[in-house]
Amino acid sequence: MSTAPQVATHVPPADPTHPAVGAATSLLDAYTPGDRFLATPGRTLLAHGAARPVPHDERPLDERVRATLARAGAAGQPSPVVIGAIPFDHEAPAALSVPAALRVAPPLSSDPLIALPVGVSGPADWGMRPVPGPEVYGAGVASAVERMWRGEFSKVVLARTLELTSPAPLDLPTMLQRLARRDPVGYTFALPTGAGRTLIGASPELLVSRQGQQVVANPLAGSTPRSTDLAEDVRRAAALLESVKDLHEHAVVVDAVHQALAPHCTELTVPARPTLIRTATMWHLSTTVTGTLASPDASALALACALHPTPAVCGTPTATARQVIAETEPFDRGFFTGVVGWGDAFGDGEWVVTIRCAEAEQRTLRLYAGAGIVAASEPEAETAETAAKFRTFLSALGAEL
């Protein structure tokens, strides 16, 4: 194991004609609870030890991270990198640190060994408890829609949870293996968020990345469950591209991303219409926004903080949507719909929206799923969408609703 951190931006791009056999999957295999694992379409990171946690105080998060990275560099740590998670509530403590050691490899998708199967991650007799129950969640959606028709706000994202209890200790490494191998081109993570707690998941959504002066954001909003029948799956994808309700929901998010990034960029390209991306369980409307930074002072993390939370995970207007969430959801989101990622002292990094995830503690998993509610939303359809989103993680357990 390497004891000296390596800067992730120095990893060469994967060459699909000469794949690095075993380089990325070796890091996936080496993960143990307490490590920080993050796989993106550009690289695979495995960090050991929290040499320098980022403090929680009154300073802006980006300032605290820059100071922590500077101290690590001054202490002789070469090319320090911060890695971890930021909660939905920007006033709550983040779980970010500069690790004692960082191993870096090309992306999982470039490693042929990622196609190998992995076993089921534990018992089939999970205890399950939805919080809130589907009927209560549907009633919350109906109430939000009624308020939108009265003109109080235009969108809110409402989430529900599924609490799973295992009779045996949780097998986090196998869960991570199954999540990563199910969608190796996505963003897979396992990060400690407190004593005995791990945030684990596989997100399809890049909030923002920065490499040099180039910035990329990939907002997703508007979704439909996939089908195992090929013809029906294609029909659903085509219908999503024409759905007035979903296109409106998506446009709201893209406009918010545009407005947040524009002050930081000399050029910003926003496609006029979305495309589709797919995961194993969902189709999503997707827009890739690209730009050129006006100043090198705007780090990837600073841009992520300017964007977070987007209407894709909160709603609009933001303050009103936050209040509706607090009034409707009977739980604390914690790190769900927050941000996970990495950043270096040069300001480069990748920050991902924390969805399709669970928080693990002892023998308990709390899964999270949300849906964007607009005036045209129907409670039954939004409840079904959250159930479909739960399946990303349930598949990693060999479990079903």
Side-chain angles (χ1 to χ4, degrees), residues 62-113:
D62 183 49
E63 182 179 330
R64 285 180 272 142
V65 167
R66 285 201 314 269
T68 305
L69 288 167
R71 285 195 298 271
Q77 188 169 354
S79 303
V81 171
V82 68
I83 185 170
I86 301 167
F88 173 67
D89 180 357
H90 61 85
E91 295 184 354
L96 296 169
S97 67
V98 176
L102 178 64
R103 299 167 62 189
V104 184
L108 289 172
S109 58
S110 72
D111 190 336
L113 298 185

Side-chain angles (χ1 to χ4, degrees), residues 24-166:
T25 51
S26 67
L27 299 191
L28 181 62
D29 294 341
Y31 166 80
T32 59
D35 290 341
R36 290 162 174 79
F37 179 89
L38 176 63
T40 79
R43 52 191 53 81
T44 304
L45 310 177
L46 180 64
H48 304 280
R52 294 180 182 273
V54 174
H56 179 65
D57 55 40
E58 70 284 352
R59 293 174 295 167
L61 180 58
D62 183 49
E63 182 179 330
R64 285 180 272 142
V65 167
R66 285 201 314 269
T68 305
L69 288 167
R71 285 195 298 271
Q77 188 169 354
S79 303
V81 171
V82 68
I83 185 170
I86 301 167
F88 173 67
D89 180 357
H90 61 85
E91 295 184 354
L96 296 169
S97 67
V98 176
L102 178 64
R103 299 167 62 189
V104 184
L108 289 172
S109 58
S110 72
D111 190 336
L113 298 185
I114 196 64
L116 295 177
V118 66
V120 175
S121 64
D125 54 343
W126 289 92
M128 296 189 185
R129 183 172 75 97
V131 180
E135 299 81 7
V136 176
Y137 179 79
V141 171
S143 175
V145 168
E146 181 181 350
R147 293 175 65 177
M148 278 184 267
W149 280 109
R150 295 202 301 263
E152 294 184 36
F153 52 95
S154 58
K155 177 183 177 178
V156 66
V157 177
L158 294 179
R160 64 188 184 107
T161 72
L162 187 63
E163 294 183 356
L164 274 62
T165 304
S166 168

Side-chain angles (χ1 to χ4, degrees), residues 187 206-219 257-258 260-271 287-307 346-351:
Y187 300 88
L206 173 69
L207 180 63
V208 67
S209 67
R210 195 200 98 164
Q211 185 166 356
Q213 287 186 286
Q214 301 307 304
V215 175
V216 179
N218 184 206
V257 170
H258 186 182
L261 290 180
H264 303 281
C265 295
T266 56
E267 297 178 6
L268 199 61
T269 300
V270 184
T287 295
T288 300
V289 178
T290 57
T292 302
L293 280 180
S295 168
D297 294 335
S299 70
L301 179 57
L303 296 172
C305 291
L307 288 164
F346 301 103
D348 290 344
E350 296 173 285
W351 298 95

Side-chain angles (χ1 to χ4, degrees), residues 263-289:
H264 303 281
C265 295
T266 56
E267 297 178 6
L268 199 61
T269 300
V270 184
R273 284 185 60 84
T275 58
L276 289 173
I277 70 164
R278 63 187 179 186
T279 67
T281 58
M282 302 293 297
W283 286 105
H284 298 282
L285 292 177
S286 164
T287 295
T288 300
V289 178

